[in-house]
PDB file of all heavy atoms in Angstrom:
ATOM      1  N   SER A1671    -128.295 175.895  62.067  1.00 98.00           N
ATOM      2  CA  SER A1671    -127.669 175.027  61.049  1.00 98.00           C
ATOM      3  C   SER A1671    -127.882 175.488  59.615  1.00 98.00           C
ATOM      4  O   SER A1671    -127.562 174.742  58.683  1.00 98.00           O
ATOM      5  CB  SER A1671    -128.143 173.571  61.187  1.00 98.00           C
ATOM      6  OG  SER A1671    -127.848 173.110  62.471  1.00 98.00           O
ATOM      7  N   ILE A1672    -128.436 176.675  59.419  1.00 98.00           N
ATOM      8  CA  ILE A1672    -128.559 177.219  58.053  1.00 98.00           C
ATOM      9  C   ILE A1672    -127.493 178.303  57.881  1.00 98.00           C
ATOM     10  O   ILE A1672    -127.249 179.102  58.797  1.00 98.00           O
ATOM     11  CB  ILE A1672    -129.971 177.804  57.797  1.00 98.00           C
ATOM     12  CG1 ILE A1672    -131.012 176.687  57.958  1.00 98.00           C
ATOM     13  CG2 ILE A1672    -130.066 178.439  56.406  1.00 98.00           C
ATOM     14  CD1 ILE A1672    -132.443 177.175  57.859  1.00 98.00           C
ATOM     15  N   ILE A1673    -126.856 178.279  56.708  1.00 98.00           N
ATOM     16  CA  ILE A1673    -125.801 179.264  56.423  1.00 98.00           C
ATOM     17  C   ILE A1673    -126.429 180.442  55.685  1.00 98.00           C
ATOM     18  O   ILE A1673    -127.186 180.244  54.729  1.00 98.00           O
ATOM     19  CB  ILE A1673    -124.703 178.614  55.546  1.00 98.00           C
ATOM     20  CG1 ILE A1673    -124.100 177.401  56.271  1.00 98.00           C
ATOM     21  CG2 ILE A1673    -123.624 179.621  55.179  1.00 98.00           C
ATOM     22  CD1 ILE A1673    -123.197 176.552  55.397  1.00 98.00           C
ATOM     23  N   TYR A1674    -126.111 181.640  56.148  1.00 98.00           N
ATOM     24  CA  TYR A1674    -126.603 182.847  55.475  1.00 98.00           C
ATOM     25  C   TYR A1674    -125.422 183.693  55.018  1.00 98.00           C
ATOM     26  O   TYR A1674    -124.442 183.846  55.751  1.00 98.00           O
ATOM     27  CB  TYR A1674    -127.460 183.689  56.426  1.00 98.00           C
ATOM     28  CG  TYR A1674    -128.717 182.991  56.888  1.00 98.00           C
ATOM     29  CD1 TYR A1674    -128.724 182.275  58.076  1.00 98.00           C
ATOM     30  CD2 TYR A1674    -129.878 183.039  56.134  1.00 98.00           C
ATOM     31  CE1 TYR A1674    -129.872 181.614  58.511  1.00 98.00           C
ATOM     32  CE2 TYR A1674    -131.032 182.390  56.559  1.00 98.00           C
ATOM     33  CZ  TYR A1674    -131.021 181.683  57.744  1.00 98.00           C
ATOM     34  OH  TYR A1674    -132.156 181.037  58.162  1.00 98.00           O
ATOM     35  N   ALA A1675    -125.562 184.231  53.801  1.00 98.00           N
ATOM     36  CA  ALA A1675    -124.524 185.128  53.282  1.00 98.00           C
ATOM     37  C   ALA A1675    -125.225 186.360  52.737  1.00 98.00           C
ATOM     38  O   ALA A1675    -126.263 186.239  52.074  1.00 98.00           O
ATOM     39  CB  ALA A1675    -123.740 184.443  52.175  1.00 98.00           C
ATOM     40  N   PRO A1676    -124.668 187.544  52.992  1.00 98.00           N
ATOM     41  CA  PRO A1676    -125.277 188.721  52.366  1.00 98.00           C
ATOM     42  C   PRO A1676    -125.157 188.615  50.846  1.00 98.00           C
ATOM     43  O   PRO A1676    -124.137 188.113  50.359  1.00 98.00           O
ATOM     44  CB  PRO A1676    -124.427 189.895  52.871  1.00 98.00           C
ATOM     45  CG  PRO A1676    -123.430 189.351  53.819  1.00 98.00           C
ATOM     46  CD  PRO A1676    -123.466 187.861  53.764  1.00 98.00           C
ATOM     47  N   PRO A1677    -126.185 189.033  50.113  1.00 97.00           N
ATOM     48  CA  PRO A1677    -126.061 188.989  48.655  1.00 97.00           C
ATOM     49  C   PRO A1677    -124.981 189.977  48.205  1.00 97.00           C
ATOM     50  O   PRO A1677    -124.721 190.963  48.903  1.00 97.00           O
ATOM     51  CB  PRO A1677    -127.439 189.450  48.159  1.00 97.00           C
ATOM     52  CG  PRO A1677    -128.043 190.192  49.299  1.00 97.00           C
ATOM     53  CD  PRO A1677    -127.435 189.648  50.560  1.00 97.00           C
ATOM     54  N   VAL A1678    -124.372 189.689  47.067  1.00 96.00           N
ATOM     55  CA  VAL A1678    -123.312 190.559  46.547  1.00 96.00           C
ATOM     56  C   VAL A1678    -123.832 191.996  46.395  1.00 96.00           C
ATOM     57  O   VAL A1678    -123.114 192.967  46.647  1.00 96.00           O
ATOM     58  CB  VAL A1678    -122.799 189.991  45.204  1.00 96.00           C
ATOM     59  CG1 VAL A1678    -121.869 190.968  44.513  1.00 96.00           C
ATOM     60  CG2 VAL A1678    -122.100 188.663  45.448  1.00 96.00           C
ATOM     61  N   GLU A1679    -125.122 192.131  46.044  1.00 96.00           N
ATOM     62  CA  GLU A1679    -125.711 193.467  45.847  1.00 96.00           C
ATOM     63  C   GLU A1679    -125.689 194.302  47.126  1.00 96.00           C
ATOM     64  O   GLU A1679    -125.872 195.515  47.069  1.00 96.00           O
ATOM     65  CB  GLU A1679    -127.173 193.379  45.346  1.00 96.00           C
ATOM     66  CG  GLU A1679    -127.381 192.597  44.079  1.00 96.00           C
ATOM     67  CD  GLU A1679    -127.405 191.094  44.334  1.00 96.00           C
ATOM     68  OE1 GLU A1679    -128.322 190.584  44.969  1.00 96.00           O
ATOM     69  OE2 GLU A1679    -126.436 190.441  43.875  1.00 96.00           O
ATOM     70  N   ALA A1680    -125.503 193.663  48.276  1.00 97.00           N
ATOM     71  CA  ALA A1680    -125.428 194.445  49.519  1.00 97.00           C
ATOM     72  C   ALA A1680    -124.132 195.254  49.567  1.00 97.00           C
ATOM     73  O   ALA A1680    -123.954 196.101  50.442  1.00 97.00           O
ATOM     74  CB  ALA A1680    -125.526 193.530  50.730  1.00 97.00           C
TER      75      ALA A1680
END
Side-chain angles (χ1 to χ4, degrees):
S1671 302
I1672 299 174
I1673 301 170
Y1674 297 93
V1678 171
E1679 304 80 67

